[in-house]
Amino acid sequence: MGKKGKKEKKGRGAEKTAAKMEKKVSKRSRKEEEDLEALIAHFQTLDAKKTQIVETPCSPPSPRLNASLSAHPEKDELILFGGEYFNGQKTFLYNELYIYNIRKDSWTKVEIPSPPPRRCAHQAVVVPQGGGQLWIFGGEFASPDGEQFYHYKDLWVLHLATKTWEQVRSPGGPSGRSGHRMVAWKRQLILFGGFHESTRDYIYYNDVYAFDLDTFMWSKLSPSGTGPTPRSGCQMSVTPQGSIVIYGGYSKQRVKKDVDKGTQHSDMFLLKSEEGKEGRWVWTRINPSGTKPTPRSGFSVAMAPNSQTLLFGGVCDEEEEESLEGDFLNDLYFYDATKNRWFAGQLKGPKSEKRKRRRGTKAEPEGANKQESGWRRLTLRTVMLVRAQRAERRMRRTRTAVKRTRSHSTPW
C-alpha cells in the first residue's frame, strides 16, 4: 500500500474513533442534560412573561465572562449577549441583551420577548441583511453548582431593525457544543471546532459546517488537505482575499485514568474555497513571519478597518497532574493576511495639544485630564477587545477538582 493509501486509511480510522467517542460522550451526558432541561424550562417560563420590548438606560452590565460582544453593522454600537458569573459558590447564567453606544459611552438594557435560553460560551455573528441580524449558535448552560452542563445546538437570529428574536430550525447542523468559532463568509455562516463535555467524558471537534443565509440550510463541509487537530477557543477570521484563518486554541486528552493533559496550540491554517468548485474547500497550513503571539487560548479577536486581524489577551496554562496555573495576558497583536505576517501592537494615548489661553487665566498643570482622555480614547478603540470575553475560559480551579477542569474558551 502506498503512502497515500496509508494516510487515507489512517484518516478513516481517526474519523471512526472520533465517532465512537462522540457516541460515548453523548450517551453519558444525555442523563445530565435531561436533569438540566427542567431548570432551563423554568427560566424560559419566566422569560415568557415578557410580552413587549423594554429599553432601559443602565449602568455597565454586572461582571461576567464567556459572553459575546458584536459590532452593529450600521451603527456605532456594540451588542452584548449572555455570559456567566461564578461568585465562589454559585454559577449564574444570563440571556440578557445590552447595547453599548460608543459615541455616548452609555449602556442600554433591551428586554425582548421570547429570547434564547440562558447560555455562555456561544458564538455570535453579525450580518448586514435585513437592516442587520445577530446570529447565535450553541453554547452551554451550567447547573448552579457548576458540576453539570447542557450543550446547546440551537440557532437563533436577532433582527436588529425590529428588535425581535427568532429561532431558526434547520436539520443537519452541528452537534451541541461550546468553545466553537463562527464567522460570516459571503452569504454563509462558517462554523469550526468546539467541544462537548459531560461529568466524566469530553470530546473536542475539528469539523466544519456552513449555514446558508438564503436557504436557511446547514451543510457539513469536507475540506481536502490536512487541517487543524480538534480544538476550542481558537482564532477564526476572514482574510481580505476571502480565505478563513484558524490559529491557536486549546484541547486536552486523557493520558491515564482521571488524568488529562492540556495542549496550547500555536499552529495556523488557511481554509479556502476552491475557485470554480462550489462547495469544495481545502486546508493549508501556513507559517507567518514576524512577531508571533506566544501559545495561548481564549483570546479576543476583532477585525480592524484596514482588514488586519487584532488579537488581544488570552490565557496560557501550565498543567501538572494535581495542579493548574494560568497566566492571563493583556498584550495585543496584529495579523496582516496580505503579508502573512504578525506584528506586536502598542497602544498610545492621544498627542498632547497646545491650546491658546486667555490672558490672566492659569495654565492647567501638565498632564491634567490627560490620563482620563487617554483612557477614554483607549476604551473607544479597543472596547471590542477588552470586553469581548477577555477571560473566555472557565475559571476551573474555583469550581471543581483539577482533574475535571473545564478547559474551554469561547470570543468573539
Side-chain angles (χ1 to χ4, degrees), residues 82-154:
E84 63 172 325
Y85 176 68
F86 180 61
N87 65 1
Q89 296 180 333
K90 185 177 180 180
T91 299
F92 299 87
L93 274 295
Y94 305 105
N95 63 347
E96 299 169 329
L97 184 73
Y98 290 90
I99 304 294
Y100 176 70
N101 187 301
I102 298 175
R103 293 185 179 276
K104 296 180 180 179
D105 187 21
S106 63
W107 287 95
T108 301
K109 184 177 182 180
V110 184
E111 298 179 77
I112 301 175
S114 304
R118 305 179 183 207
R119 69 189 64 205
C120 66
H122 53 279
Q123 277 289 276
V125 171
V126 170
V127 296
Q129 283 92 319
Q133 298 173 343
L134 176 74
W135 288 84
I136 290 176
F137 176 83
E140 68 183 50
F141 179 89
S143 60
D145 62 5
E147 295 285 344
Q148 294 179 299
F149 311 98
Y150 182 95
H151 294 266
Y152 295 102
K153 58 178 179 180
D154 52 354

Side-chain angles (χ1 to χ4, degrees), residues 160-288:
L160 299 175
T162 58
K163 291 185 173 63
T164 54
W165 282 109
E166 176 189 359
Q167 183 175 3
V168 179
R169 304 179 187 275
S170 177
S175 57
R177 64 189 65 195
S178 54
H180 50 290
R181 292 293 180 260
M182 187 168 71
V183 295
W185 181 84
K186 295 185 177 180
R187 296 186 68 84
Q188 297 183 72
L189 303 178
I190 307 297
L191 184 147
F192 169 80
F195 84 107
H196 185 288
E197 183 177 30
S198 64
T199 301
R200 292 183 292 173
D201 293 303
Y202 55 83
I203 180 171
Y204 284 79
Y205 301 103
N206 64 344
D207 47 5
V208 185
Y209 284 84
F211 180 77
D212 193 302
L213 293 171
D214 293 319
T215 64
F216 282 19
M217 295 294 294
W218 282 106
S219 60
K220 185 175 183 179
L221 306 182
S222 300
S224 59
T226 302
T229 56
R231 64 192 63 192
S232 67
C234 57
Q235 167 190 330
M236 188 177 188
S237 57
V238 180
T239 70
Q241 297 78 23
S243 299
I244 296 174
V245 170
I246 299 291
Y247 167 75
Y250 181 91
S251 66
K252 63 180 180 180
Q253 60 182 1
R254 187 148 294 162
V255 292
K256 58 182 179 180
K257 187 176 181 180
D258 295 331
V259 177
D260 301 316
K261 179 177 176 59
T263 300
Q264 302 279 350
H265 298 282
S266 58
D267 47 2
M268 199 164 186
F269 295 83
L270 207 61
L271 179 61
K272 186 176 182 180
S273 176
E274 294 191 52
E275 191 174 350
K277 298 180 180 180
E278 187 176 353
R280 297 284 296 275
W281 295 73
V282 58
W283 282 114
T284 304
R285 182 165 181 171
I286 57 177
N287 185 27

